[in-house]
Amino acid sequence: MTAIDEPAPVAKTARWTGRILSGLVIVFLLFDGAIKLVPWPIVTETMDKMGYGSSETLARSLGIITIVCTVLYSVPPTSILGAILLTGYLGGAMASHVRIDSPLFTHTLFGLYLGLMVWGGLWLRDPALRNFIPFRRRLAS
């Protein structure tokens, strides 16, 4: 047995499920980043309600961060780095919602739902990540 095992092949169904999950996250986050670049009034009003003020500069900065992290996630060689950065970004969003006592399941945990889709989609489509984080079936005794 070698120190570095070859990645196990990914089933076609798992790969496509992962691509679809990842694609949904990518489209959503690119849209989210784009509306922060404009920034539409709903963006600055929401930021103000969350306690960050209605700064267009901050909105644009967050839009750029969102788009850069999402592009890193969407490119296979940098997808794990993108997933790590998106996890931090989504964690910050969740912390902001906790701070202002947003509704739990619709607002606060939305970052968790997206984070699960980010990592679930990546795990399903990336054989190296599947080897790094294996889920093993328990054999019947």
Side-chain angles (χ1 to χ4, degrees), residues 66-77:
T66 305
I67 290 171
V68 167
C69 293
T70 303
V71 168
L72 287 171
Y73 174 70
S74 67
V75 178

Side-chain angles (χ1 to χ4, degrees), residues 9-23:
V10 178
K12 198 175 209 178
T13 307
R15 179 167 300 170
W16 275 104
T17 303
R19 287 176 179 166
I20 290 168
L21 272 176
S22 295

Side-chain angles (χ1 to χ4, degrees), residues 20-100:
I20 290 168
L21 272 176
S22 295
L24 290 171
V25 170
I26 290 166
V27 168
F28 175 79
L29 289 174
L30 287 177
F31 176 77
D32 183 57
I35 66 171
K36 288 176 181 157
L37 290 178
V38 175
W40 288 350
I42 188 70
V43 173
T44 54
E45 290 168 10
T46 302
M47 287 178 50
D48 192 39
K49 288 177 187 173
M50 294 190 75
Y52 294 110
S54 57
S55 167
E56 291 185 3
T57 304
L58 179 58
R60 286 187 180 105
S61 299
L62 290 173
I64 290 168
I65 291 169
T66 305
I67 290 171
V68 167
C69 293
T70 303
V71 168
L72 287 171
Y73 174 70
S74 67
V75 178
T78 59
S79 59
I80 292 177
L81 173 62
I84 291 168
L85 294 173
L86 285 173
T87 302
Y89 181 80
L90 295 170
M94 289 176 59
S96 296
H97 282 288
V98 166
R99 187 175 55 80
I100 64 167

